[in-house]
Amino acid sequence: GTTRAKVSGQEVLDIDRLEGELVWLDDDGLVIERPIRHLDQTIGWLIMKASRDDIEATVRRAQRDLTLAGIIGTLLAIAAVSILVSVSLKPLAELRRGLQRIGSGDLRARVKVASRTELGMLASMVNSMAEGLEKAQAKLIQKERMDLELQLAHELQFMLLPQGVKPAAGYALEAHYTPALEVGGDYYDAFPLDDEHVALAIADVSGKGVPGLVIMSMLRTMLRTIASPQRDPVDVMVAANEMLRGSMKRGMFVTCQYGLLNTRTHTLRYASAGHCAPIHFGRGAPRCAPALGKPIGLFPESLFRKSLERHDIALEPGDALLFYTDGLVEALNRQGGQLGLEPVLERLRAWAADSTGSVVDMLAECVVTHRGSQHASDDLTMLSLRRRVRKAPVLAEVME
């Protein structure tokens, strides 16, 4: 235990007795007395003494060293943790930068994380996502560009068709055009040549889209350039064949009918190049007019000219002609059945009985009814020419 006592006549503050040792602290410092034993007999004492100042200096030095060591150790630990965290979070920072670039719209950015951990798997998924978005964006841009081009081609096509054609005196002229796609391959035209002659044309270009539009514009330009009251329709067809045959890609062709209306003699002279037979209707039963000839663009001049025939149709008051493309009689319903020619002739016979309303609108409605919910498989183009019936003068008596 610790007690207060006097040692060698001097009062000490504390005395500890440990296995024969005497340890006490006096005013001067620390004193340790240890017995020296030999053969179980005490033969002397070993006395050690340290001054208080030395002890306190040693303690302070130890505390200072311990504190310094603690600070250094703490700093080293912080540095080590910082380095470890930095190394560990470097892939995460790279992932964050990559996501920021992708999020800002740079779909070509890729996350460069070479790791087999979950971060590496996440980076691979992000890269796959960015690649998919880049491809989708490219397809979307291409689609928007194509849609714009198709819209422009659609508007251009309608610009090429006659707008507000004024019929010749004593005649009614109607037209209907419905493309199956944005840009169709059908074409019709009607334009005066002089005071007595009107040129009429209808054509169907094989294939749709922009190539068909180009051929259609070439045909329109050519017809309006070479057509004249003195030029025979057969010669016009031959010239069109020679011009277009070298301009169309292999396999393309054009079916066409071109006619020349003489409003003085009321006769239509026409030639057909593989096109649908025109329908003569009005006073009598509807009937198909002759229409032979090979399509434009497939055969050389000699063979093509031999296939063509010139025909004249006299138009009496009330007579009408219907020019059309195969989108009329070949319109398909959901079961794959075609409308056919007979229903068209029956509708024309019924229409001729009262001659009210638009004949082309009536036939277009017939096609829509036949198709039902089935999407149009081909363009629908119709051109109707009718000689008006001259009304007899009405005599009125004035009663006075």
Side-chain angles (χ1 to χ4, degrees), residues 5 80 96 107 174 182 198 216 243 254 260 272 311 353 357 395:
R96 177 181 58 81
L107 298 181
E174 294 180 331
E182 286 293 330
V198 177
M216 166 185 155
M243 177 182 177
V254 180
L260 189 62
S272 181
H311 300 282
L395 300 178

Side-chain angles (χ1 to χ4, degrees), residues 1 33 72 90 94 191 207 249 279 329 332 339 354 357 361 373:
E33 291 186 3
I72 294 174
K90 184 177 180 181
E94 181 66 28
F191 51 95
K249 66 180 182 180
I279 300 176
V329 296
L332 299 176
L339 175 63
D354 55 15
D361 290 345
S373 59

Side-chain angles (χ1 to χ4, degrees), residues 38-291:
H38 180 67
L39 299 179
D40 295 332
Q41 294 183 0
T42 302
I43 60 175
W45 289 84
L46 175 63
I47 300 174
M48 296 178 290
K49 186 176 182 180
S51 65
R52 182 184 294 274
D53 294 338
D54 292 339
I55 294 174
E56 291 178 353
T58 301
V59 171
R60 285 195 298 272
R61 187 164 53 252
Q63 290 177 342
R64 184 174 65 251
D65 294 343
L66 184 61
T67 302
L68 182 60
I71 293 173
I72 294 174
T74 301
L75 292 176
L76 291 176
I78 293 175
V81 171
S82 298
I83 294 174
L84 181 61
V85 171
S86 177
V87 172
S88 301
L89 296 182
K90 184 177 180 181
L92 186 60
E94 181 66 28
L95 180 63
R96 177 181 58 81
R97 286 192 294 269
L99 288 174
Q100 286 179 341
R101 292 180 61 187
I102 295 173
S104 64
D106 184 8
L107 298 181
R108 294 183 178 181
R110 296 294 182 267
V111 180
K112 299 178 181 179
V113 176
S115 175
R116 295 183 179 179
T117 62
E118 286 79 1
L119 286 178
M121 296 176 59
L122 181 59
S124 178
M125 293 174 62
V126 169
N127 290 335
S128 298
M129 177 191 68
E131 183 178 357
L133 289 174
E134 183 181 8
K135 292 180 179 179
Q137 185 185 54
K139 291 182 179 179
L140 179 61
I141 293 174
Q142 183 180 8
K143 182 179 181 301
E144 290 178 349
R145 184 185 300 114
M146 292 179 62
D147 290 343
L148 178 59
E149 292 177 354
L150 287 176
Q151 180 62 30
L152 293 175
H154 179 75
E155 295 175 359
L156 178 60
Q157 183 172 35
F158 274 90
M159 290 173 59
L160 294 175
L161 296 176
Q163 304 297 322
V165 178
K166 294 182 180 180
Y171 285 85
L173 186 64
E174 294 180 331
H176 176 91
Y177 175 68
T178 303
L181 303 175
E182 286 293 330
V183 181
D186 284 2
Y187 159 70
Y188 73 90
D189 205 351
F191 51 95
L193 299 178
D194 57 21
D195 294 339
E196 296 182 353
H197 295 87
V198 177
L200 303 173
I202 189 168
D204 186 357
V205 182
S206 65
K208 304 296 184 287
V210 176
L213 174 61
V214 173
I215 299 301
M216 166 185 155
S217 63
M218 293 174 62
L219 178 62
R220 176 185 184 274
T221 302
M222 187 274 302
L223 288 179
R224 285 180 171 253
T225 301
I226 67 174
S228 69
Q230 297 76 29
R231 196 155 194 175
D232 190 85
V234 172
D235 294 334
V236 172
M237 292 287 96
V238 172
N241 181 71
E242 287 304 297
M243 177 182 177
L244 297 180
R245 184 165 171 259
S247 302
M248 292 189 296
K249 66 180 182 180
R250 187 178 182 85
M252 288 189 68
F253 60 90
V254 180
T255 65
C256 179
Q257 277 173 359
Y258 170 77
L260 189 62
L261 173 65
N262 188 322
T263 60
R264 181 177 56 84
T265 62
H266 305 292
T267 302
L268 178 74
R269 172 167 292 182
Y270 73 96
S272 181
H275 201 76
C276 304
I279 300 176
H280 188 185
F281 65 102
R283 294 175 303 141
R287 58 195 180 277
C288 292

Side-chain angles (χ1 to χ4, degrees), residues 1-17 20-34 45-49:
T2 301
T3 59
R4 299 179 63 87
K6 288 185 178 181
V7 179
S8 302
Q10 183 178 0
E11 185 177 357
V12 298
L13 298 178
D14 297 297
I15 297 177
D16 291 335
R17 187 179 298 276
E21 294 184 356
L22 292 176
V23 181
W24 71 88
L25 186 64
D26 57 17
D27 294 335
D28 294 331
L30 180 65
V31 179
I32 301 176
E33 291 186 3
R34 181 180 180 85
W45 289 84
L46 175 63
I47 300 174
M48 296 178 290
K49 186 176 182 180

Side-chain angles (χ1 to χ4, degrees), residues 344-366:
V344 174
L345 297 177
E346 184 62 32
R347 291 297 183 98
L348 291 177
R349 183 181 297 107
W351 180 88
D354 55 15
S355 300
T356 59
S358 169
V359 63
V360 294
D361 290 345
M362 178 268 297
L363 291 176
E365 183 179 354
C366 176

